[in-house]
Amino acid sequence: MEKLTCLHDRHVALGALMSPFGGFDMPIQYAGIVEEHNAVRNAVGVFDVSHMGEVRVTGDEAESFVDYIFTGNVAALEVGKIAYGMMLYSDGGTVDDLLVYKMGANDLLLVINAANIDKDVAWITEHSAGHNVTVEHLSDCYGQLAVQGPDSETVLRDVLHLDCADLTFYTFKTVECNGETVIVSRTGYTGEDGFEIYAGHELTVSMWDALIAAGVQPCGLGCRDTLRFEVGLPLYGDELSAEISPITATLGMFVKLDKPGDFIGKDACARQKAEGSPMKLVGLEIHDRAIARHGYEVLDGERVVGHVTTGYRGISVDKSLAMALVERAAGDLGHELQVRIRRKVFPATVIAKRFYKKSYKK
């Protein structure tokens, strides 16, 4: 039985196409993926991302503990800032990728992927033994909206009366709204300027209603995937997994090997950085209108050298594109490969996996 977000009735009433995702019954599209995608690129859209998980870690050793289970450098983070990184297994494989919000000294909010909530909470709790910390699982307490697109700052101000012009990329603040404390951040997972609002369920619903009434385009997970794909952002289960390390996924910049102390997976990542990972994540441009889907084979001549992790016909760039995990020797920019799409083989070229220029507010 799929779980429901606090906005589930609203999605059904709007006629959204619903489908299971990460253990939740979630909207995939409303007006259509292309229309919703373009609304975010050109104006503004709102996503229900209440399925994401939230874990708060507090206590005298909260920062040192999170630094032990997280690849980023939490101790060096200023209050009000956010770090992106991963939790790793000891072999370097990825437990999950996540955001860490520094709420205060030794007060951290971890935002985790919906499909991994139970696994992540168990992992965090298990490794907290022996550390002077309190781990609170708050996923059921929060709703979360993502308001995304070049008009998002104006919409937050005019519709929700939230003045967030002071927030820069990867920062957040808490504000009082209708008698409760709301977290507003500016990260985005779409390549566009955008905000995330964490609030209780009732307030989340009233904010959603206000946005829809103001004409903001509701957006489903379908265009969330096409948007993040075009700017080369990973999705857990595709570009990261227990078998795919951040080094393999070419996300080594988020693995702070030089931070003080040890962290789980550090030795494996250091070794992969030094020796080179056997596989690497690359971008591919396919020289046809055919679309490569997750799991399709990538070939170098007659030999299979990898597989597609995500593929689409780019909506903003009008090319057939893919991210693929291939043998390192086959992953140089400009290298000519092939992709097997059903029974046919199509030529493809290795390109940078940021297919569309990001438009974040720095």
Side-chain angles (χ1 to χ4, degrees), residues 278-282 284 296-308 324-331 335-340 350:
M279 306 288 284
K280 70 181 288 190
L281 190 70
V282 300
L284 292 177
Y296 285 12
E297 290 178 340
V298 179
L299 301 94
D300 193 350
E302 297 293 314
R303 201 165 61 85
V304 175
V305 294
H307 70 273
V308 169
L325 202 61
V326 302
E327 293 175 8
R328 185 157 51 99
H335 194 79
E336 299 298 331
L337 296 170
Q338 302 83 39
V339 179
R340 193 189 309 280
V350 177

Side-chain angles (χ1 to χ4, degrees), residues 34-193:
V34 173
E35 186 172 330
E36 293 164 31
H37 177 110
N38 287 331
V40 173
R41 284 277 182 257
N42 300 315
V44 66
V46 59
F47 298 85
D48 175 16
V49 285
S50 304
H51 60 315
M52 300 292 282
E54 294 86 15
V55 178
R56 199 157 190 170
V57 181
T58 55
D60 291 344
E61 297 177 0
E63 289 183 17
S64 60
F65 166 63
V66 174
D67 266 334
Y68 174 64
I69 61 167
F70 180 63
T71 60
N73 189 344
V74 169
L77 202 63
E78 296 175 25
V79 174
K81 294 201 170 179
I82 305 164
Y84 170 76
M86 300 84 193
M87 296 187 295
L88 303 178
Y89 296 104
S90 57
D91 66 358
T94 308
V95 178
D96 201 3
D97 63 332
L98 65 153
L99 297 174
V100 175
Y101 286 56
K102 191 154 187 178
M103 309 296 295
N106 285 309
D107 183 354
L108 303 161
L109 184 71
L110 281 55
V111 180
I112 55 181
N113 284 302
N116 294 335
I117 289 174
D118 293 343
K119 176 189 74 174
D120 287 3
V121 171
W123 173 265
I124 293 163
T125 304
E126 174 192 343
H127 287 89
S128 71
H131 297 265
N132 184 12
V133 296
T134 299
V135 176
E136 297 175 90
H137 182 198
L138 302 177
S139 303
D140 292 339
C141 302
Y142 283 109
Q144 189 193 154
L145 300 178
V147 182
Q148 303 283 303
D151 296 344
S152 54
E153 183 183 299
T154 303
V155 164
L156 255 66
R157 183 192 67 219
D158 294 350
V159 179
L160 301 180
H161 313 296
L162 296 172
D163 185 359
C164 297
D166 56 326
L167 288 179
T168 54
F169 191 49
Y170 265 66
T171 67
F172 72 93
K173 64 181 178 180
T174 56
V175 297
E176 292 301 311
C177 188
N178 286 24
E180 72 175 80
T181 302
V182 172
I183 302 168
V184 185
S185 60
R186 195 170 199 161
T187 66
Y189 187 56
T190 58
E192 300 298 328
D193 188 18

Side-chain angles (χ1 to χ4, degrees), residues 216-351:
V216 175
Q217 173 66 55
C219 297
L221 296 184
C223 82
R224 196 161 173 82
D225 203 47
T226 59
L227 289 159
R228 70 91 192 168
F229 165 76
E230 286 187 340
V231 293
L233 295 173
L235 177 67
Y236 190 90
D238 290 345
E239 286 75 39
L240 287 166
S241 70
E243 291 73 43
I244 304 173
S245 76
I247 308 302
T248 298
T250 62
L251 295 167
M253 66 180 290
F254 300 106
V255 181
K256 307 301 184 185
L257 294 174
D258 57 351
K259 71 175 179 178
D262 194 16
F263 63 88
I264 301 171
K266 179 178 181 178
D267 290 346
C269 284
R271 190 164 55 249
Q272 285 184 12
K273 268 194 171 180
E275 299 173 1
S277 174
M279 306 288 284
K280 70 181 288 190
L281 190 70
V282 300
L284 292 177
E285 181 177 348
I286 299 159
H287 303 298
D288 190 88
R289 295 194 66 83
I291 300 169
R293 299 299 188 193
H294 177 93
Y296 285 12
E297 290 178 340
V298 179
L299 301 94
D300 193 350
E302 297 293 314
R303 201 165 61 85
V304 175
V305 294
H307 70 273
V308 169
T309 59
T310 306
Y312 284 107
R313 183 76 189 179
I315 295 171
S316 301
V317 290
D318 195 30
K319 295 176 181 176
S320 289
L321 302 164
M323 287 193 273
L325 202 61
V326 302
E327 293 175 8
R328 185 157 51 99
D332 292 339
L333 289 176
H335 194 79
E336 299 298 331
L337 296 170
Q338 302 83 39
V339 179
R340 193 189 309 280
I341 300 176
R342 293 178 290 278
R343 296 182 182 179
K344 296 180 73 174
V345 173
F346 296 91
T349 304
V350 177
I351 62 172

